[in-house]
Amino acid sequence: MFTGIVTATGKIASSRAHGDGLRLRIDAPGFGLDDVALGDSISIQGVCHTVVAKDAGGFEVDTSRATLDVTTGLEAGRAVNLEKSLRLADRLGGHLVQGHVDGVGTVAAFDDLGGSWRLAIEAPPALSRYIARKGSIAVDGVSLTVNAVEGSRFEVNIIPHTRAVTTLSQLAPGVRVNLEADLLARYLERMREMLGPA
């Protein structure tokens, strides 16, 4: 479980075949790995991974073909958002994020508003029912508040701090991003399905 508050960025230094997927090496010298043990979870670009090796400068994870088929941004050479898993004593500064990507969206616009940026994303139609105005969504692992929704397109606002400390600064129209809907929205939808029409 994560909060969507990115604590550092890293770089996928290498990617090599491993089983049906890949073993990724993440260079993250500023991430602080002293409190990370083998088997711990780390969110990489919004995708939960398990640490299988580490040293002072970075760590390694395995990612399956099933994960690669439903996500984006895990290619060698890419800058990635990083977050350690949530501890019970931690502050919940963002929202509850599982690191289970619901779908891949496409940036429709990224406009400078003079002091902040408006990011518009076209979500997969099946995911759009979980996105609500003033609700939460994770974009490449970053917790954001939805400001507007129209059909399958939604908008969020990016403040200068978020743009400076995450990979969101590299977004542009046409770029694909990992999306995770609010956990509560998924459970509410499931309950509605089970209860049927009122």
Side-chain angles (χ1 to χ4, degrees):
M1 193 69 72
F2 306 93
T3 68
I5 303 299
V6 171
T7 54
T9 58
K11 182 178 180 180
I12 301 179
S14 66
S15 172
R16 64 184 189 274
H18 186 79
D20 75 331
L22 299 172
R23 176 158 291 185
L24 305 177
R25 159 74 188 190
I26 315 298
D27 284 347
F31 189 42
L33 292 164
D34 290 346
D35 62 344
V36 173
L38 298 186
D40 282 358
S41 295
I42 293 179
S43 172
I44 303 169
Q45 210 65 355
V47 185
C48 181
H49 285 86
T50 300
V51 176
V52 297
K54 72 163 197 164
D55 56 42
F59 61 96
E60 294 185 5
V61 299
D62 292 332
T63 192
S64 70
R65 176 51 49 192
T67 296
L68 293 168
D69 286 345
V70 297
T71 62
T72 189
L74 296 176
E75 304 86 21
R78 284 286 301 263
V80 288
N81 294 317
L82 301 174
E83 182 188 354
K84 297 172 189 173
S85 58
L86 177 66
R87 296 174 294 192
L88 289 178
D90 288 345
R91 292 178 177 168
L92 186 59
H95 71 284
L96 292 176
V97 176
Q98 291 183 297
H100 302 164
V101 171
D102 291 307
V104 174
T106 303
V107 175
F110 195 29
D111 301 322
D112 187 344
L113 303 178
S116 68
W117 290 261
R118 180 183 65 91
L119 174 62
I121 296 173
E122 190 72 32
L127 180 57
S128 62
R129 68 175 178 257
Y130 301 117
I131 303 171
R133 183 176 176 274
K134 298 304 178 186
S136 297
I137 192 159
V139 177
D140 283 344
V142 181
S143 174
L144 297 166
T145 300
V146 177
N147 290 331
V149 181
E150 185 175 342
S152 59
R153 183 171 172 161
F154 69 93
E155 296 179 5
V156 295
N157 188 261
I158 309 298
I159 62 171
H161 175 78
T162 301
R163 188 175 185 273
V165 301
T166 69
T167 63
L168 298 185
S169 62
Q170 301 172 18
L171 296 182
V175 173
R176 299 169 73 229
V177 291
N178 292 320
L179 300 176
E180 181 180 336
D182 190 340
L183 177 65
L184 296 177
R186 289 186 298 208
Y187 279 112
L188 287 171
E189 172 70 10
R190 178 62 177 151
M191 288 175 63
R192 187 190 66 77
E193 289 174 358
M194 293 178 68
L195 294 172

